[in-house]
Amino acid sequence: MEDIEILQDIDWDNLTFSLTPARSMYIAEQRDNNAWEPGKLVPFGNVSMSPAAGVLNYGQGVFEGLKAFRTSRDRIVLFRPENNAVRAIDSAERLCIPPVPKEMFVEALLEVVRDNADYIPPCGKGSLYVRPVIWGTGEVLGVKPVQSYTFLVFVSPVGNYFKSSEKCLHLKITNKFHRAAPRGTGGLKAIGNYAASLLPQKLAKKAGFDEVIYLNAANENFVEELGSANLFILKDQTLVTPSLTGSILPGVTRDSVIQISKEILNLEVQEKTVSVDEVLDADEVFCSGTAVTVTSIGKITTDETFRIISGGKIGPFTRRIGEIFSEIRNETVNDQFKWLYPVF
Ligand SMILES: Cc1ncc(COP(=O)(O)O)c(C=O)c1O
């Protein structure tokens, strides 16, 4: 790769998970049920649309989130972008949005990352968060799919989601709110899912918790996931995670944790229903997601009780999984699963 300069005017040592606008974004349009028109890069900035746009009135929109990294071999890579492309297709189909073909989706990611490569933090100091969105931008009054759509990809350099990598979360298992109904949109990245998670999150933070764990809406017998991360427990050297019943987002990181655990750590992995008691009784509990990567959960509170997990510290297995992720992404070990998609 030719040397990509790194911008000098960003404080790379103090990045947080917040928006730092980059140079450009990708935008493509789809009109009147025709094919997606070729997209182009434009300066990052505001977009204009009718106040009657479907996305603004009825939430006809989906999004994705993934990261690009600068590796120790001075390459720039995306992490498993084809998985996000496929998930975006599934999400779009459920919301009557014309899906963006996989090749076009990945090509758009590459174009934006290449044009903003100098915004990618130095290796080990963070990543370039890539946010594709597909919005119904056509006008509508009655509740129905619109006639035109916009596919847009913007990026932002980000650091850790939580201030310290040693952070252990304190979570509340909530039965005041549900995230996703059976046969609803919980298994997809529909934008409306996230607006509904703001109040539970806000109330949890006000009460001193970092986030909530949601129960299944049908009978509240099982844990599902957090507002934006999947849940894992380790018990007696078996890794357990709630099975994908349709109301849980099929996380790319979740899938990666499962593969690392099976193939590298030789652990048994079970995808099944997981009760609250199993979570409280676990040796280690952690959550996984693009934003949080792998984050330890050190304390869990329910309405009746609370439990300190793994002494309130990061357990050895959780730590090892996190290290393996970093090693693969930084290319300090062989990418045996072929997860890294070269940008340069
Ligand atoms: C509800 C929800 N669960 C889980 C995840 C983790 O998914 P991924 O690992 O693909 O980021 C996310 C983040 O995208 C999410 O929004």
Side-chain angles (χ1 to χ4, degrees):
M1 157 185 122
E2 77 215 66
D3 271 355
I4 304 285
E5 283 194 17
I6 301 178
L7 283 177
Q8 297 300 314
D9 51 356
I10 293 180
D11 181 1
W12 299 115
D13 292 316
N14 291 302
L15 281 177
T16 57
F17 198 89
S18 55
L19 183 73
T20 303
R23 174 177 304 108
S24 60
M25 60 188 188
Y26 170 100
I27 191 157
E29 307 285 344
Q30 197 267 12
R31 290 173 240 254
D32 300 327
N33 296 320
N34 292 313
W36 282 98
E37 295 167 11
K40 59 174 191 273
L41 292 177
V42 297
F44 177 87
N46 293 354
V47 288
S48 89
M49 67 183 86
S50 165
V55 66
L56 298 180
N57 290 267
Y58 302 126
Q60 198 192 7
V62 300
F63 73 103
E64 271 300 329
L66 69 160
K67 285 175 172 172
F69 298 91
R70 198 180 290 275
T71 79
S72 64
R73 295 190 194 165
D74 219 13
R75 291 204 309 157
I76 289 172
V77 296
L78 280 162
F79 190 75
R80 307 189 74 185
E82 289 162 315
N83 292 57
N84 298 88
V86 170
R87 193 169 63 187
I89 291 172
D90 293 342
S91 300
E93 279 171 348
R94 175 66 176 79
L95 296 194
C96 291
I97 295 172
V100 174
K102 188 170 151 187
E103 300 67 35
M104 179 178 178
F105 189 96
V106 174
E107 189 49 43
L109 305 181
L110 293 174
E111 276 190 43
V112 189
V113 174
R114 284 186 184 131
D115 197 52
N116 295 283
D118 47 349
Y119 285 83
I120 306 179
C123 178
K125 295 205 168 167
S127 57
L128 189 73
Y129 186 78
V130 183
R131 166 55 57 84
V133 298
I134 314 169
W135 292 330
T137 37
E139 296 181 327
V140 72
L141 202 55
V143 179
K144 60 180 183 208
V146 296
Q147 293 295 310
S148 47
Y149 294 86
T150 300
F151 169 42
L152 193 150
V153 186
F154 65 90
V155 295
S156 169
V158 293
N160 278 347
Y161 198 77
F162 299 107
K163 280 197 195 84
S164 149
S165 59
E166 292 300 305
K167 166 103 177 159
C168 277
L169 305 182
H170 179 192
L171 302 188
K172 173 80 202 291
I173 298 184
T174 180
N175 43 23
K176 285 206 176 56
F177 299 97
H178 293 146
R179 195 191 81 90
R183 302 190 186 89
T185 57
L188 309 163
K189 283 193 83 83
I191 60 175
N193 293 348
Y194 295 83
S197 73
L198 298 178
L199 183 63
Q201 187 192 63
K202 182 175 153 185
L203 294 176
K205 291 208 160 140
K206 203 169 156 200
F209 306 106
D210 293 296
E211 244 281 24
V212 296
I213 297 175
Y214 291 97
L215 296 170
N216 68 321
N219 55 19
E220 300 188 336
N221 279 349
F222 307 115
V223 292
E224 290 204 319
E225 60 174 322
L226 284 67
S228 56
N230 294 112
L231 189 68
F232 282 89
I233 66 174
L234 182 78
K235 180 69 183 172
D236 298 334
Q237 294 302 303
T238 298
L239 185 68
V240 183
T241 190
S243 44
L244 299 175
T245 51
S247 48
I248 295 177
L249 193 84
V252 179
T253 322
R254 175 187 182 280
D255 181 73
S256 310
V257 167
I258 291 173
Q259 289 194 52
I260 289 173
S261 302
K262 283 184 182 163
E263 309 292 328
I264 301 185
L265 300 174
N266 294 319
L267 280 183
E268 186 190 334
V269 180
Q270 293 178 357
E271 294 179 66
K272 64 178 199 66
T273 52
V274 181
S275 69
V276 172
D277 285 344
E278 282 177 275
V279 177
L280 296 179
D281 193 38
D283 300 329
E284 296 182 32
V285 183
F286 65 91
C287 61
S288 74
T290 297
V292 300
T293 316
V294 168
T295 297
S296 178
I297 297 167
K299 186 172 177 187
I300 297 179
T301 298
T302 67
D303 278 349
E304 292 82 34
T305 184
F306 74 90
R307 206 60 55 87
I308 307 280
I309 312 280
S310 184
K313 301 202 180 73
I314 305 181
F317 172 78
T318 308
R319 186 179 293 281
R320 187 67 198 119
I321 283 267
E323 285 167 359
I324 292 172
F325 257 107
S326 304
E327 289 163 3
I328 292 177
R329 288 185 322 205
N330 294 343
E331 290 199 291
T332 51
V333 296
N334 178 33
D335 173 23
Q336 69 181 78
F337 302 107
K338 304 271 174 282
W339 284 340
L340 304 183
Y341 196 104
V343 177
F344 281 115

